Amino acid sequence: MSGSIFVGPADRVFVLTGAGISAESGIRTFRDAGGLWETHRFEEVASPEGFARDPRLVWKFYSQRRAQMVDCQPNAAHRAIGELGRELGDRLFLCTQNVDDLHERGGSSQLLHMHGELGKTRCQTCCRPAFADTSGYLDELPRCTCGGALRPDIVWFGEVPIGLSAIARALDEATIFVTIGSSGAVYPAAGFVHAVRHHARAIYVGPERPDNDWGFDEVRIGTAVEVVPSLFQVPDRAAS
Ligand code: APR
């Protein structure tokens, strides 16, 4: 089945995005051939233990990611999700595992970055809120005014993702659940499809089947840019 998904007035849509939605914008995924975890050990650059052992290496890794993000542009899939948000308002819950800002630049104003944000930094010690920061820290290790170590505002392996209560509520309410470009290898996000199994239609979009494909009603094979712009049909849009 490959037609558009009809979004009726009573529907609530949960969209989960992964690295695949940003792949066509030039941001490397993690687990594909040539993905980030092929050239970096995630224990070293994406864990609290790695940061404690070698904060310079961790900052070098995220500084490179920050520099790359600035050069990348949102693609048609990000823009289509931005438009869907304008049409559905709070009937769309957009949750991304991505730490880039391409959804925002693609027009999404309401979204949850469950794995943090590349463009923010926070203090490891004090409760100062995370702040916008795209500096590249390649030599000096940055320190907070409290003296504590500053770290990227990223949820690392072994840490608890952001917004799990809001996510659980939105999953409960969803009637349509769509995952775009995520391998289904990392929990808890890979388990969201299980949570909606009995009350929502679940669709996966990506160039290959994800590890958790058993949970989806449909798998649409194609890239985000190929599939997402025509994925949703919202009645008002069809009428206009
Ligand atoms: N369009 C859609 N999907 C694509 C595209 C594309 N153009 N290119 C690749 N993909 C798919 C791949 O088939 C793969 O299933 O994107 C997925 C990327 O998978 P991962 O690299 O594992 O990324 P993701 O699932 O987002 O990773 C989850 O793992 O390392 C952590 O914190 C990191 O948030 C990340 C989490």
Side-chain angles (χ1 to χ4, degrees):
M1 197 190 293
S2 62
S4 298
I5 301 165
F6 181 81
V7 183
D11 281 317
R12 299 190 78 87
V13 181
F14 190 117
V15 172
L16 171 69
T17 63
I21 197 169
S22 296
E24 286 157 286
S25 292
I27 295 186
R28 283 164 75 187
T29 63
F30 296 95
R31 294 175 184 76
D32 289 306
L36 279 170
W37 296 154
E38 232 175 53
T39 46
H40 298 82
R41 286 169 54 82
F42 70 80
E43 301 90 332
E44 288 176 357
V45 296
S47 76
E49 295 78 15
F51 187 64
R53 206 174 303 123
D54 192 347
R56 267 193 183 76
L57 177 71
V58 173
W59 266 118
K60 186 173 168 205
F61 176 76
Y62 286 101
S63 295
Q64 287 167 346
R65 308 272 82 71
R66 284 178 170 185
Q68 181 197 31
M69 175 173 80
V70 173
D71 287 339
C72 292
Q73 302 305 325
N75 62 48
H78 296 107
R79 289 194 295 274
I81 299 295
E83 189 184 341
L84 186 69
R86 284 189 291 282
E87 288 169 325
L88 297 184
D90 65 6
R91 292 194 294 124
L92 172 68
F93 190 91
L94 173 58
C95 177
T96 186
Q97 296 166 88
N98 299 345
V99 296
D100 65 56
D101 63 355
L102 295 182
H103 276 302
E104 286 90 337
R105 288 196 273 141
S108 292
S109 52
Q110 294 288 333
L111 74 156
L112 175 63
H113 281 276
M114 65 177 290
H115 290 168
E117 291 176 71
L118 196 48
K120 288 188 177 171
T121 293
R122 69 180 166 87
C123 179
Q124 174 123 291
T125 308
C126 74
C127 53
R128 170 185 177 189
F131 57 93
D133 179 15
T134 49
S135 320
Y137 295 112
L138 296 173
D139 302 318
E140 286 298 297
L141 284 177
R143 305 218 66 99
C144 180
T145 45
C146 79
L150 289 175
R151 57 165 278 183
D153 188 29
I154 303 288
V155 177
W156 287 327
F157 285 92
E159 297 184 320
V160 180
I162 295 161
L164 291 179
S165 314
I167 290 171
R169 273 196 305 277
L171 288 171
D172 265 356
E173 291 170 1
T175 58
I176 297 170
F177 174 82
V178 177
T179 297
I180 303 163
S182 181
S183 58
V186 174
Y187 285 79
F192 292 173
V193 67
H194 187 66
V196 301
R197 261 179 104 188
H198 298 296
H199 61 271
R201 177 180 173 193
I203 298 112
Y204 179 80
V205 175
E208 60 197 357
R209 300 185 76 85
D211 291 358
N212 58 349
D213 63 352
W214 50 268
F216 290 90
D217 299 306
E218 297 167 44
V219 174
R220 306 246 176 139
I221 298 292
T223 73
V225 165
E226 286 166 354
V227 177
V228 178
S230 56
L231 188 61
F232 298 97
Q233 188 196 342
V234 182
D236 283 346
R237 175 162 60 179
S240 62

